Amino acid sequence: MSTYRIGIDVGGTHTDAVLLDENNQVVSETKSPTTEDVATGIYTALKKIIGDANVPREQIKYAMLGTTHCTNAIVERKRLNKIAAIRIGAPATLAVKPLVGVPDDLREALGKYVYLVRGGHEFDGREIVSLDEAHLYQIAHEIEGKVDSVAITSVFSPVSKEHEERASEIIKEVLGEDVAISLSSEIGSVGLLERENATIINATVVNVAKTAADGFINALKNEGIEAKVFFGQNDGTLMSVEYAVKYPIFTIACGPTNSLRGASYLTKSSDAIVVDVGGTTSDVGVLIQSFPRESSLAVEIGGARTNFRMPDLISIGLGGGTIIRIKDNGEFTVGPDSVGYRLPEKSLIFGGDTLTTTDVAVALGKVELGDASKVAHLDKELLNKVYVKMVELVEEAIDKMKTSAEDVPVILVGGGSILLPENLNGASEVIRPQHSGVANAIGAAISQVSGQVERIYKLVELTRDQALEIAKDEAKKEAIKAGADPNNLVIVDIEDVPLAYLPGNATRVRVKAAGDLAQVEVNELV
């Protein structure tokens, strides 16, 4: 019996969807406008690909969603959980309170229940002071009925997570098993404040992730599909629904990473620069061994500095709907604002009143779309200058992402990639694969499942090789928890950084394991 899988990726302008067969070949694809409530756009895209494909619904076994729900909730400060933030680190960390450096409006939304508790560990795993359990019980009773999600951060928990886990037990004992708990040792890396921010943000979007998951599952059920559902993570891999609801922060920036994975799959390239041109922005990322290169910098989300893993991306304000403004003296600006999903009504070639990048490309005969006669009157010489500027913006971004002066292959994907030429400075070749317009949805559908761990080990107690083996095992366990098949896991990334500033010969090890989806048994779905 053939099995099919659905991939859906929600972008700022379009929601893209594909249906793939068991050989990962595209059976049907569509783009529908992203709607304000997000869910309607997903339903529309889903209905269309299933209707077009005409395959038996019971043979659709997997459905993958790459979504911007959590990112939007943080940026808009909407639909956030009522949270408590507990830092285990008194008296050592009293000088800097939680949520320092976070924008005022976000702090106001999240900072109602913030607590500092005695406890925490040294860099080498020794207790600073023992955990104040009585204080934790007091806090638990105080927040009972007032919060539905709790973020717990302890000093040096990537070395020892003992205090975080005990605190979690106490909170659950009082508030019940249903309360969502985010532990910093499972989310961020070394660096207390950034890890704490990442954990707090994770705690705030649990409900958003749950609503998105329930909405997606219901949309599938309405279409008569009982599929196993996965979410896209921001490292280009997938996670199960249960895992996504526990760690929703990992969905942030999964759209561009899906595009990178899709680009790699469609071109069979493992190392290249990918330019994903949407309606509003272009994201430029780097493929290394078929996976997105990870950022080594602290990342701001909604104005809060965090340090959990994120893809290394540059976003520029250039897309298919980017607005071009021409002044009387012939000077012009390109964006950064865009007409977004309203391109079919706003741009000149569709009878609108706004000059966009798409109009420029059509007027210059580079793209066939809409009604070219509506832009025939425009000054070609000036438009050529605008077009050169558009291309330069992309070339600059490519240049910033390169690690050497050598030319590298560049893969163009996304609906707006039709705007760009066949040759780009800095590119050894420009590849525009078939189905490039829905590369992000394809990336979501074909992805593997991964697990990652980051820990500090003291090499007085262990050899370096033993530390790496322990980390590899933990990464594999995480991947299996996220939904990977235990029989075909591979280690895709190892980083081992000696921490010269810590005594005791400490080293920070980061390991990622990835594997194919665990197979769905047919009777599981009956």
Side-chain angles (χ1 to χ4, degrees), residues 8-144:
I8 292 186
D9 188 273
V10 181
T13 309
H14 286 110
T15 295
D16 298 348
V18 290
L19 183 73
L20 304 185
D21 65 16
E22 58 204 7
N23 301 317
N24 287 342
Q25 297 303 305
V26 177
V27 180
S28 63
E29 62 176 83
T30 189
K31 278 175 140 9
S32 69
T34 295
T35 51
E36 204 158 312
D37 65 346
V38 181
T40 309
I42 294 173
Y43 295 157
T44 311
L46 197 59
K47 239 179 163 45
K48 178 98 172 77
I49 50 163
I50 295 165
D52 288 355
N54 200 18
V55 301
R57 283 164 160 70
E58 64 277 8
Q59 290 178 16
I60 300 173
K61 296 289 181 212
Y62 299 103
M64 289 72 167
L65 178 65
T67 173
T68 53
H69 281 83
C70 294
T71 317
N72 296 351
I74 296 158
V75 171
E76 295 168 10
R77 323 289 201 231
K78 285 179 184 167
R79 306 177 297 284
L80 302 176
N81 283 68
K82 293 188 176 75
I83 70 144
I86 298 172
R87 182 198 291 171
I88 301 165
T93 65
L94 292 175
V96 183
K97 298 281 190 287
L99 293 169
V100 156
V102 170
D104 296 345
D105 60 336
L106 194 59
R107 189 164 52 238
E108 213 164 286
L110 308 181
K112 289 189 177 68
Y113 302 100
V114 175
Y115 302 93
L116 283 160
V117 175
R118 288 177 71 82
H121 289 79
E122 301 280 9
F123 65 88
D124 59 1
R126 287 176 298 133
E127 275 191 353
I128 298 173
V129 289
S130 55
L131 182 63
D132 188 342
E133 295 195 1
H135 190 190
L136 281 165
Y137 274 108
Q138 185 194 328
I139 290 166
H141 287 295
E142 198 175 306
I143 61 178
E144 195 176 357

Side-chain angles (χ1 to χ4, degrees), residues 6 9 19 41 49 60 71 77 89 143 145 148 206 215 297 318 320 323 327 338 374-375 384 388 395 427 439 505 507:
I6 286 168
D9 188 273
L19 183 73
I49 50 163
I60 300 173
T71 317
R77 323 289 201 231
I143 61 178
D148 52 15
V206 169
L297 304 171
L318 178 79
I323 299 168
K327 297 178 186 161
S338 165
K374 294 192 185 300
V375 286
N384 264 316
V388 166
E395 289 171 342
N505 202 7
T507 188

Side-chain angles (χ1 to χ4, degrees), residues 275 316 318 334 357 364 366 384-398 419-425:
V275 181
I316 54 172
L318 178 79
V334 177
T357 46
L364 295 173
K366 297 181 186 297
N384 264 316
K385 286 181 187 165
V386 174
Y387 188 73
V388 166
K389 178 67 183 162
M390 285 160 52
V391 174
E392 272 175 7
L393 287 170
V394 173
E395 289 171 342
E396 275 170 27
I398 290 170
L419 301 180
L420 296 177
E422 297 304 315
N423 295 301
L424 290 166
N425 282 336

Side-chain angles (χ1 to χ4, degrees), residues 14 42 56 86 140 173 225 243 257 278 281 300 369 400 442 500 513:
H14 286 110
I42 294 173
I86 298 172
E173 191 187 315
I225 295 165
Y243 202 83
T257 54
T281 58
E300 283 211 353
L369 195 68
K400 282 180 186 165
I442 291 170

Side-chain angles (χ1 to χ4, degrees), residues 292-326:
R293 183 171 77 194
E294 206 169 288
S295 172
S296 54
L297 304 171
V299 178
E300 283 211 353
I301 297 173
R305 263 172 74 90
T306 66
N307 66 357
F308 74 108
R309 57 126 208 268
M310 281 282 275
D312 188 6
L313 295 168
I314 287 181
S315 265
I316 54 172
L318 178 79
T322 299
I323 299 168
I324 307 292
R325 293 181 177 82
I326 296 176

